[in-house]
Amino acid sequence: MKNHLHACIIDAQDDGESISQLLKNEFPEFEIDFQTNSIQYASDYLSKNSPDILFVDIQLIDETAVKILSKFRQNPSPIIFITDSEQSAIQAIKKGITDYLLKPVKNIDFVLTVNKVIENFKKNKTLILNNSIQNKINLPTLQGFKRVNIDEIIRCEADSNYTFIYLLDKTKVMVSKTLYDFEKNLSEYNFFRIHHKHLINLEHLKEYIKGKGGQVVMADNSVLDVSIRRKNEFLHKIA
């Protein structure tokens, strides 16, 4: 985990000073990157930055506020709403706010809520790291193996007991494994076998051309046949 976590504070009451002081006292690992009393000013900041936590203390979570905060919701980090009304808090949660604290904010409640945020942050980082590791594959070569990101693979083409792997960097790797082996391992990553010779990454599909089975055009501009028996399943997959 990085050494510091980054916070943004939107506080219409006292420009974020009370929240800022609580953070400094209880969680010195946080850096306060931005604090304001205006949700509009915060909008400009959030459109360019992704703090790890957002504290919001405004009287009303209206449609304008929801629209602005939704920019931040694209980031998986939490929004903590601070309010003097439990009813307002419930409404805010219905509109996508992660958690809330009631005023007057007690130190113990603040510490428990922010600790929960830190734990979730650690879990998310671990999950991202694990996914990053899992999304790589080793391609055996005569010299050893080439380790690549799965999303860099455009397509796999069978050649007897060998498979040619075509990558985004325009390289081609010959592997002494069958296409069936790759189909088993890559199907969960949005790969689809369109033909006995071709397994394609659907993320790199550019075009489908109608025909008896049809053809696909891939990101490397290769044109590949779709077998008649695979056509319906393929079209359903990409619909």
Side-chain angles (χ1 to χ4, degrees):
M1 193 176 80
K2 57 188 178 185
N3 295 329
H4 291 282
L5 299 175
H6 297 271
C8 172
I9 302 171
I10 308 169
D11 187 349
Q13 308 307 307
D14 67 354
D15 296 341
E17 285 306 312
S18 59
I19 303 171
S20 173
Q21 199 58 52
L22 276 169
L23 267 182
K24 288 174 183 175
N25 291 342
E26 304 292 346
F27 296 95
E29 65 266 42
F30 271 95
E31 290 184 353
I32 300 168
D33 292 349
F34 185 81
Q35 60 188 78
T36 180
N37 63 3
S38 167
I39 190 105
Q40 296 291 345
Y41 290 151
S43 174
D44 294 334
Y45 174 79
L46 294 175
S47 67
K48 301 169 187 171
N49 299 275
S50 297
D52 299 308
I53 187 171
L54 177 61
F55 293 92
V56 179
D57 185 352
I58 56 179
Q59 289 295 314
L60 179 65
I61 299 289
D62 57 15
E63 293 308 313
T64 300
V66 170
K67 185 176 180 181
I68 290 170
L69 293 175
S70 68
K71 294 180 181 178
F72 184 73
R73 290 301 297 155
Q74 296 171 10
N75 182 300
S77 303
I79 300 170
I80 295 179
F81 184 45
I82 300 173
T83 179
D84 53 11
S85 164
E86 191 163 8
Q87 186 61 36
S88 295
I90 292 169
Q91 290 301 316
I93 286 174
K94 287 180 179 178
K95 293 179 179 179
I97 306 303
T98 308
D99 212 334
Y100 71 92
L101 287 165
L102 287 175
K103 296 179 184 178
V105 178
K106 298 177 182 177
N107 274 36
I108 185 63
D109 292 335
F110 185 84
V111 169
L112 288 172
T113 299
V114 176
N115 268 332
K116 183 171 74 173
V117 164
I118 293 172
E119 285 306 308
N120 287 337
F121 181 85
K122 290 178 180 178
K123 287 177 184 176
N124 286 338
K125 286 296 180 184
T126 301
L127 182 62
I128 290 169
L129 177 61
N130 288 341
N131 284 342
S132 176
I133 293 171
Q134 292 169 3
N135 288 344
K136 290 181 178 290
I137 189 172
N138 293 336
L139 302 179
T141 64
L142 292 176
Q143 294 76 30
F145 65 85
K146 183 179 179 71
R147 188 161 175 80
V148 301
N149 291 322
I150 289 173
D151 59 10
E152 293 177 3
I153 300 174
I154 298 173
R155 61 190 181 94
C156 308
E157 183 176 335
D159 186 352
S160 187
N161 290 325
Y162 293 87
T163 301
F164 287 103
I165 310 296
Y166 295 81
L167 303 173
L168 278 175
D169 64 4
K170 297 183 180 179
T171 59
K172 180 172 74 170
V173 182
M174 186 178 75
V175 181
S176 58
K177 285 187 175 183
T178 67
L179 190 62
Y180 176 69
D181 291 324
F182 284 100
E183 183 182 10
K184 284 192 301 181
N185 292 325
L186 296 177
S187 291
E188 64 180 291
Y189 295 99
N190 209 24
F191 280 70
F192 186 84
R193 191 163 183 171
I194 58 169
H195 189 277
H196 74 274
K197 285 192 66 173
H198 302 300
L199 175 71
I200 65 170
N201 185 345
L202 295 176
E203 297 299 323
H204 296 306
L205 172 67
K206 286 174 60 177
E207 184 181 352
Y208 172 71
I209 302 168
K210 290 181 179 180
K212 198 168 183 180
Q215 293 178 311
V216 295
V217 182
M218 301 302 295
D220 58 355
N221 292 319
S222 56
V223 181
L224 311 173
D225 290 331
V226 179
S227 72
I228 297 173
R229 69 180 186 85
R230 302 289 289 170
K231 177 180 178 179
N232 288 339
E233 188 179 352
F234 167 69
L235 292 177
H236 178 75
K237 181 82 173 175
I238 63 173

